[in-house]
Amino acid sequence: MSRVQTLTIAPGEGDQRLDRWLKRMFPHVGQGRIEKMCRKGELRVDGGRVKASTRLEVGQTVRIPPLPDASEVKSEPKPQPRVSDADAQMIQSCVLWKDDHVIALNKPPGLATQGGSKQTRHVDGLSEALKFGSDEKPRLVHRLDKDTSGVLLLARSREVAKGLTDAIRHKETRKIYWALVGGVPVPYLGEIRYGLVKAPGHGPSGGGEKMIAVHPRDMDSTPGAKRAHTLYATLYRVASRAAWVAMEPITGRTHQLRAHMAEIGHPIIGDGKYGGSGQENLGDGWGAQLGGMISKKLHLHARSMSFVHPVTRKVVTIKAPLPDHMAQSWDTLGWEESFADDDPFEGL
């Protein structure tokens, strides 16, 4: 049994949960013991009581009560999840760009970003195959919906992860999405400012969550509503049936682009949650499916992302080619990726 210890959070160890930091320092200490030490007030940060989820900052002091030696702890070794050779090859083939600090993927549709309800195969788990010689796996700094494809960034160290996360939080990055929508948005260039609020009681443990659009005039009277802002540009159209739309989310709310496009009467093709196969667009009569050779999968793709590199301080822009089902739809409709400007919102 060790004695009481007081340790200081060193540079490079900040911005992480207390329980995760403690497990790195003392791998034999289980989550249950950490939670118990927090409840009893034995584990303290800067003299104050904390939770296991409390985030640590550089320079803080952590009081650690006596801990058993590793030899005294009886625990069965946990099997380490192994990424299959096929999955390793798949996720490595998704790499669009990398350096010593950042990795950019073209996330395929149908692959979850993180684990969750019934999600056992996801980018976070497969990132074990993206170490490329590093001691630790890269960290996610943002997310894409499971069925949305496109640019996804991972950081190769905690410091870089913090820099990218802060940049995203402070709106210092730019993301442009492409979508195929039912009908043709008019005006061709515009913005959507409907707020969003989560539908109450939808699915167990938040599963199957759905956002409801709220008119700006009703924001103050709608509990839980958050402001949301999307720019859109109609790039090409097929009569009044469908349009290729570029979108830039100014805010980053859950399902923002999907909910916003459905709210203005032009749901994203393949979006059963917000469009519904029977939903009619205002004035067009087209729902979330086009039929024929057009895939029923969601047609939403994170086309590009621009950010200031947290180490080199240079602006980096990553572009992701369309996934197969969207590329096939583009071909069917007579469009090519090269038809679109890199930044349809330039000057706005």
Side-chain angles (χ1 to χ4, degrees), residues 14-34:
D15 193 37
Q16 64 175 310
R17 288 169 53 119
L18 171 62
D19 52 359
R20 292 173 183 167
W21 173 83
L22 200 64
K23 287 177 183 178
R24 288 190 176 94
M25 301 296 292
F26 306 96
H28 63 286
V29 178
Q31 184 70 24
R33 179 178 286 273
I34 295 174

Side-chain angles (χ1 to χ4, degrees), residues 46-110:
D46 286 346
R49 298 176 72 100
V50 288
K51 296 180 179 179
S53 60
T54 296
R55 300 195 79 81
L56 301 174
E57 298 297 337
V58 174
Q60 288 183 317
T61 58
V62 183
R63 178 196 181 276
I64 304 171
L67 299 174
D69 296 330
S71 59
E72 301 173 18
V73 177
K74 295 182 180 180
S75 60
E76 296 182 4
K78 294 183 179 180
Q80 294 297 315
R82 180 181 178 274
V83 179
S84 69
D85 291 342
D87 275 345
Q89 183 176 0
M90 182 278 295
I91 199 67
Q92 289 170 6
S93 72
C94 294
V95 174
L96 293 168
W97 180 89
K98 70 180 176 71
D99 64 8
D100 291 338
H101 311 286
V102 181
I103 294 175
L105 301 180
N106 185 6
K107 187 190 83 64

Side-chain angles (χ1 to χ4, degrees), residues 8 27 48 91 93 110 182 185 225 240 263 281 293 323:
T8 301
I91 199 67
S93 72
S240 62
E263 184 62 24
N281 282 285
M293 296 180 64

Side-chain angles (χ1 to χ4, degrees), residues 2 19 68 70 72 74-75 90 99 120 134 171 175 188 198 208 211 228 240 260 295 301 307 312 324 336 339 348:
S2 65
D19 52 359
E72 301 173 18
K74 295 182 180 180
S75 60
M90 182 278 295
D99 64 8
T120 57
S134 296
K171 300 179 176 60
K175 303 176 193 174
Y188 294 151
K198 185 182 295 186
M211 309 304 289
S240 62
H260 269 177
S295 171
H301 178 67
F307 61 96
T312 67
D324 289 344
E336 296 180 12
F339 287 1
L348 292 182

